Amino acid sequence: MKNQFFTVAFAGLLLVGCNSTKNASSKSNSDLATLNPIETTLDLTKVVDDKAPVVINPGRFTTPTVTYRLPRVVQGTYSVSDFGKYIENFQAIDYNGNALEVTKLDTNTWTIANASNLDKIMYNVNDTFDMEANGGGIGGEVPFSPAGTNIEDTNYVLNLHGFIGYFDSLKNAQYKLDVTAPKTMARTSALQETGTKMSDDGLAMTSSYFAPRYFDITDNPMFYGNLDVEEFQVGDIKIVLSVYSPNNVHSAAKVKATMEKMMQAQKTYLGDVNSTPRYDIYLYLSEGKAESPKGFGALEHHTSTVVVLPESMPDEALAESMIDVVSHEFFHIVTPLSVHSEDVHYFDYNEPTFSKHLWMYEGVTEYFATLFQVDQDLVTEQEFYNKIMGKIKSASNYNDAMSFTTMSENILDEPYAGEYINVYSKGALIGMCIDILMREESNGNRGILSLMKELSLKYGKNKPFEDDNLISEITAMTYPSIGEFLQKHVVGGTPINYNDFFAKVGLKMTEGKVKTNYIQNDGVLIFKPNVANGTIPFSEAVKDNSFWAENGVLPGDVIKTIDGEKLTLSNANQLLSAAYLWKPGREVDVRLDRNGEEIVVKTTLTQSYTTGSNLEVDPNATAKQNELRQAWLKG
């Protein structure tokens, strides 16, 4: 999962009909699951009030009661989603069409009595995007948008974990899924399609899909609706790009140009890693309305990613964000697809346990997404150094003395949950330090990518590693210094002195004038939201942001409107994330309230500067340090 930075920053800061009769059998339920796939139907032609009907035909049960669940937590997210909140009118029907007794045990769980007579269960599903408009609606919190669901005439985001659940006794059952939609509606899915059937009136099409087990249901999202679809080839991997732009602001062809160049570079960087024949990118562009999704970023699946970004983004900004989030998600084909623990392989959607190694799953993945760009000449070396400095500054906002393994293992609980976002900053820096150490130990010949390839060869997507043994295995595969580093800085809580690692590759940190954006000073927000009165005033930090200071803005000035749109705590993510992407040369109109007086900042953006840290080449670096730096940056 990759949250766009601004979403994370502000979210935390602002608080902001019956089938044919089935034959009875004396076999166990798990045996029956193998013989009789769970038949599931989702009918998008029968949506009423944005609620989609689902029918589940599980086959014959031999037990007196059965338990059915919607996921409480889904893979790739490290928070509670409670998809059972969005289920209405849950019914269990026997073979005579009568209702069976159902008991709802908790938000996500139902038990059904007289299960040997159960023919099917039926319920309606609310989408989560609509619930984002009213603070979560049912029960408050909503799933991160790329993990959520959308039900509207022009678009359906079918993260299937939001529609289809599982029986406790049939977790490894096969699934047959029928999705019915208007014939004219475009559809994309990486789930294996087994056939299509036209309705008798010729208006609807039913597509049938097969999933070997429930994991494959949750791991293969679908897009239906007014889609713009493009395909291209990256080595042996077919990439399918599906774009929903409600106002046709962006096209799949334009996004494809960016994605193809980037993913070709990623594949060149990865080399012989071919863990999937197809990879899907689903891009939902949010209109920015009250009912639109606001959780910008992406959620990875093993062979696809769902991305949610603002439709209002200019082409250049959209391309930049897609490179940022999709490169991260695509690198997940290394980990966790090829390298993962038993917690991932045998994931429990109701009471999950979490691996200790988020530093690897998310941190190393984020590091790859940053490093490959300089390796493949997509960014300059200085631009790469700037990104590294950005991660150091971001990490400084979190607990630098917290054990990363302890945090990972307890990620749903406080105080650890609040530290999660640091996996994209300090987690990536951990990957960088291991990479530099391996380059040093091997005279530049080995790095963290070669380590991940070795782990992939040893394990692969069908063989998990034992969580407690990973660090000792990595140490055995590499060098004692790697084990010492991991024990001291990842298992232990000793902060990392990054200067020690930069010195190995002839770099040094300096203080001076640095470029910044219009909502931060060198990674520090220049606002101090007042939750009590619902306003967003500038903080003291605004005095050190050259653009605002030169335009006379003072600490305490409250932002009223940005380009004519009123700024509130509820829409701050949307408006301030757009401001985060502003570029010099853009015309802006910002209205402020200064103790009842309106202050107008209507001007053309100039580059903003502040005082901060830079990372640059040490002019006194030795030849050996320079050689090691080139091995690190260029592999």
Side-chain angles (χ1 to χ4, degrees):
M1 179 174 73
K2 182 69 188 292
N3 297 76
Q4 280 294 84
F5 164 78
F6 37 81
T7 300
V8 174
F10 296 121
L13 185 67
L14 302 181
L15 288 175
V16 210
C18 290
N19 291 305
S20 58
T21 303
K22 312 163 191 76
N23 295 324
S25 171
S26 61
K27 291 181 177 290
S28 69
N29 286 332
S30 59
D31 288 335
L32 282 170
T34 302
L35 296 172
N36 300 310
I38 295 174
E39 297 178 1
T40 302
T41 63
L42 174 58
D43 195 338
L44 304 181
T45 68
K46 295 182 179 178
V47 170
V48 177
D49 295 330
D50 288 346
K51 298 168 188 174
V54 174
V55 179
I56 309 289
N57 173 2
R60 193 100 185 191
F61 285 102
T62 58
T63 53
T65 63
V66 294
T67 301
Y68 184 78
R69 303 180 191 271
L70 268 290
R72 174 172 170 261
V73 178
V74 293
Q75 284 189 315
T77 66
Y78 302 93
S79 60
V80 173
S81 294
D82 280 336
F83 282 99
K85 289 193 301 188
Y86 308 100
I87 303 303
E88 293 185 3
N89 195 29
F90 187 100
Q91 301 176 70
I93 307 298
D94 69 14
Y95 294 109
N96 295 317
N98 300 314
L100 292 170
E101 180 184 348
V102 175
T103 302
K104 188 171 185 180
L105 297 183
D106 57 38
T107 301
N108 306 295
T109 310
W110 297 261
T111 60
I112 301 166
N114 298 316
S116 59
N117 293 321
L118 176 64
D119 178 27
K120 61 186 177 182
I121 61 175
M122 305 185 301
Y123 50 83
N124 294 325
V125 180
N126 276 293
D127 65 322
T128 70
F129 282 11
D130 282 349
M131 297 303 168
E132 293 187 34
N134 54 11
I138 310 167
E141 294 297 319
V142 293
F144 177 47
S145 298
T149 58
N150 189 45
I151 300 171
E152 57 183 297
D153 291 342
T154 57
N155 174 264
Y156 295 85
V157 177
L158 303 182
N159 271 309
L160 295 176
H161 50 241
F163 295 89
I164 301 170
Y166 61 94
F167 294 91
D168 272 356
S169 57
L170 299 178
K171 286 183 178 179
N172 292 318
Q174 297 175 340
Y175 279 73
K176 176 182 179 290
L177 169 62
D178 289 344
V179 181
T180 300
K183 177 185 64 175
T184 56
M185 189 173 284
R187 62 209 70 194
T188 53
S189 173
L191 198 61
Q192 179 185 346
E193 186 175 279
T194 59
T196 57
K197 182 181 179 181
M198 187 75 71
S199 63
D200 291 340
D201 60 10
L203 299 177
M205 178 75 74
T206 298
S207 298
S208 297
Y209 303 92
F210 172 78
R213 59 192 178 110
Y214 183 68
F215 164 77
D216 298 282
I217 288 289
T218 65
D219 195 46
N220 288 280
M222 300 177 175
F223 251 26
Y224 273 64
N226 297 343
L227 309 179
D228 192 11
V229 182
E230 292 279 347
E231 297 181 3
F232 57 94
Q233 201 75 19
V234 174
D236 296 329
I237 304 174
K238 180 171 81 169
I239 310 297
V240 181
L241 170 66
S242 304
V243 176
Y244 174 66
S245 182
N247 299 297
N248 298 314
V249 174
H250 298 284
S251 69
K254 286 193 296 186
V255 178
K256 172 188 172 182
T258 298
M259 291 294 92
E260 186 167 16
K261 179 181 178 181
M262 179 197 77
M263 297 180 84
Q264 293 287 4
Q266 285 184 276
K267 188 63 179 67
T268 301
Y269 175 76
L270 285 172
D272 55 359
V273 175
N274 281 314
S275 54
T276 177
R278 170 174 170 160
Y279 193 89
D280 278 76
I281 302 168
Y282 306 98
L283 173 59
Y284 181 102
L285 293 168
S286 173
E287 286 189 271
K289 296 180 178 178
E291 64 272 19
S292 301
K294 301 168 181 63
F296 303 136
L299 176 67
E300 89 277 0
H301 298 270
H302 281 61
T303 59
S304 64
T305 184
V306 178
V307 186
V308 178
L309 291 172
E311 188 182 37
S312 60
M313 298 175 80
D315 290 347
E316 182 182 351
L318 179 63
E320 183 179 331
S321 290
M322 287 294 286
I323 289 172
D324 179 36
V325 297
V326 177
S327 62
H328 175 99
E329 306 306 340
F330 186 66
F331 275 122
H332 274 302
I333 68 174
V334 179
T335 181
L337 179 54
S338 295
V339 184
H340 57 262
S341 71
E342 293 169 320
D343 303 83
V344 174
H345 198 74
Y346 305 111
F347 189 78
D348 187 323
Y349 298 90
N350 185 50
E351 293 293 340
T353 58
F354 291 95
S355 170
K356 298 176 180 179
H357 302 297
L358 270 175
W359 67 269
M360 183 179 74
Y361 297 130
E362 296 294 345
V364 170
T365 299
E366 177 66 7
Y367 175 62
F368 284 155
T370 306
L371 180 66
F372 97 96
Q373 296 185 52
V374 68
D375 180 273
Q376 295 295 307
D377 297 320
L378 298 181
V379 298
T380 66
E381 291 185 14
Q382 188 57 55
E383 287 172 327
F384 171 73
Y385 303 149
N386 293 345
K387 290 185 177 184
I388 293 298
M389 281 306 304
K391 294 190 181 300
I392 291 174
K393 294 162 188 171
S394 177
S396 69
N397 295 315
Y398 298 91
N399 185 350
D400 200 28
M402 179 178 284
S403 163
F404 238 65
T405 53
T406 301
M407 180 266 286
S408 298
E409 200 170 26
N410 299 280
I411 197 63
L412 293 187
D413 306 317
E414 293 297 350
Y416 308 105
E419 298 289 317
Y420 167 72
I421 300 304
N422 203 18
V423 300
Y424 301 108
S425 298
K426 187 175 180 179
L429 296 168
I430 289 169
M432 177 194 74
C433 294
I434 294 172
D435 199 14
I436 291 174
L437 278 175
M438 288 188 66
R439 293 292 179 186
E440 181 183 44
E441 293 278 14
S442 65
N443 294 318
N445 294 316
R446 296 179 71 196
I448 196 167
L449 179 59
S450 60
L451 169 62
M452 297 307 299
K453 287 184 177 182
E454 290 171 35
L455 285 168
S456 296
L457 288 173
K458 181 172 183 177
Y459 291 102
K461 61 183 180 181
N462 295 317
K463 182 183 177 182
F465 60 77
E466 292 185 27
D467 214 55
D468 290 341
N469 296 339
L470 180 64
I471 289 178
S472 60
E473 289 190 63
I474 287 176
T475 304
M477 285 180 166
T478 57
Y479 311 97
S481 62
I482 302 299
E484 292 168 7
F485 173 85
L486 289 168
Q487 290 294 345
K488 183 177 181 180
H489 300 293
V490 180
V491 178
T494 303
I496 302 169
N497 185 342
Y498 299 108
N499 281 314
D500 292 344
F501 293 87
F502 294 143
K504 295 176 187 294
V505 292
L507 298 175
K508 67 175 184 177
M509 286 195 284
T510 61
E511 292 292 319
K513 182 179 178 181
V514 297
K515 290 182 179 181
T516 191
N517 57 62
Y518 304 94
I519 66 169
Q520 296 171 315
N521 286 343
D522 203 28
V524 178
L525 289 169
I526 59 175
F527 309 103
K528 190 176 182 179
N530 187 324
V531 177
N533 62 24
T535 61
I536 303 177
F538 282 98
S539 68
E540 287 289 326
V542 73
K543 294 188 291 187
D544 297 320
N545 186 291
S546 66
F547 172 78
W548 295 111
E550 290 166 5
N551 280 279
V553 177
L554 300 176
D557 287 352
V558 174
I559 305 176
K560 292 170 55 182
T561 63
I562 297 178
D563 291 336
E565 188 166 356
K566 184 178 180 180
L567 179 67
T568 65
L569 291 179
S570 61
N571 70 1
N573 276 343
Q574 174 194 337
L575 294 188
L576 294 181
S577 63
Y580 175 77
L581 298 169
W582 283 352
K583 302 293 183 184
R586 185 187 190 280
E587 299 294 323
V588 298
D589 184 343
V590 179
R591 305 296 170 105
L592 309 172
D593 177 24
R594 181 181 297 165
N595 298 321
E597 177 188 1
E598 183 177 77
I599 306 297
V600 179
V601 180
K602 188 174 183 180
T603 186
T604 302
L605 290 175
T606 56
Q607 179 62 57
S608 197
Y609 295 90
T610 192
T611 300
S613 301
N614 282 309
L615 181 62
E616 56 190 35
V617 174
D618 186 346
N620 299 316
T622 65
K624 183 177 180 180
Q625 289 172 316
N626 290 334
E627 288 171 6
L628 190 61
R629 183 174 68 256
Q630 288 308 301
W632 168 46
L633 298 180
K634 299 297 182 180

